[in-house]
Amino acid sequence: MPSDVTIDELRQRLREISDLSAAASVLHWDQTTAMPTGGAVSRSRQLALLGRLSHERATDPELGVLLDRLMPYAESLPSGHDDRALIEVAQRDFDLAMRVPAEFSERAAGHMSKTYAAWLTARPHDDFVAVQELLETTLELSREYCEFFPDSDHIADPLIDAADQGMTVARIRPVFAELRTGLISLLDHISNSKQVDDEPLRNHFPAAQQARFSTAVIQAMGYDFDRGRLDPTAHPFMTRFAHGDVRITTRTNESFLGEHVFVTIHEAGHALYEQGTRADDDGTPLGSGTSSGMHESQSRLWENIVARSPEFWSYWYPKLQEEFPKQLQNVSLQEFYNAINRVQPSLIRTDADEVTYNLHVMLRFELELDLLEGNISIAELPNTWHERYRDDLGVSAANDRDGVLQDVHWYAGFIGGAFQGYTLGNIIGAQLFEAALHDTPEIYAQIARGEYQPLHDWLRTNIYRIGRRRTPDQLIADVTGSPLDAKPLLNRLQTKFSKIYPE
Ligand code: ZN
């Protein structure tokens, strides 16, 4: 260690950056759960100030000097040493922050908030023309961002890398292509089979009982309410302020039972990841989930692999019937299980089932690449969207509200890198669960008894506690011995849905 600098000095600087962004997260959480509408103007000013302050600290030249001085020390340590990992990850974050000029970031942020405000009105009015020019500027800004990384192979790679470190178009495309082919053939089989219905889920289910049930489930999963809380919001999310404060939000539909419980479990899956990081990593860049896809793998693993399994409901369904005796007394466990797993090609990504969901996502991913590559223009986007929905899902929206205007992503951020993480998450989640089953074959028997501790412990040891010490690729290889691979997901879906939809 050089005598004039210490790792503690680095930790101190990183903690301040982390605290500033956590303070912004508290303000954002409040904005979406509790703030009166009158607070909007001052809140966006306060958030902009905190964003500027944390960016200034993250790009402080003195941080760069400190990292330069610490690098020989890092390189003298064995790989995997905590100090070495901390210095290397901090260096990556610093390099990334320095690549993008502050002038550009501010210009882009200003444009995004204007576009978001326009989208809030354009979507209910089904008015794509109102956002078309703004979106053209967004596409230009997205290309401009990518140009700060001239050494990348594909124009979209920098935007993908920002969310899913190490992933590239060249890596993702063949894996997605294999998944898409398999899913379209599975969907074809399902469409030609006897259909199941979700009528049992359509009734009046009071919010208070739904909340009581979901709370019991996520507590059993291991979500720690002493270090978290659950609040209602319009668009649910998980947010971390500190190792000791990881919050989740959810929404409730009183006339459809198949939403609230799965949204809550999904967000709790994200929260288990953050709550399960190491306490001594708090305030450093090591102490959080390693990528958007890896994070989504944890939410989807709990939501789909665990909570849409027959074993899970053999334990919980009697308890759900106790909450809703009138609504569910004549609904068998099998009918309920089929209802929550009904496959139905639809227009809306966030309502999609396990089989069609990734088709929605991969279609958006390809559209992003086509836009960035210049194969299609923003003006052509609405019709291309409809055509691809017809091709892949056999459905087509009568309007743009349920077409190109449906997701907030392109209206609040860049075009590129916004969607692949969702499908990567489903792919990685299936790979990790297969590895967990290999190590602990009795996991499903434990799930049938309402016991999640062994699975939770396995995830904590192999994923959560690693934080950002390993890249997504390294982590997948460490845990599964394989590279990114769509087969475990395809195999799981084929096995599961051929039982729900026999010939
Ligand atoms: Zn998620």
Side-chain angles (χ1 to χ4, degrees), residues 266-267 270 296 299:
H266 179 100
E267 299 308 332
H270 282 300
E296 199 66 7
S299 54

Side-chain angles (χ1 to χ4, degrees), residues 308-319:
R308 289 186 202 272
S309 70
E311 291 80 4
F312 180 87
W313 288 104
S314 73
Y315 178 82
W316 285 104
Y317 189 57
K319 294 171 174 57

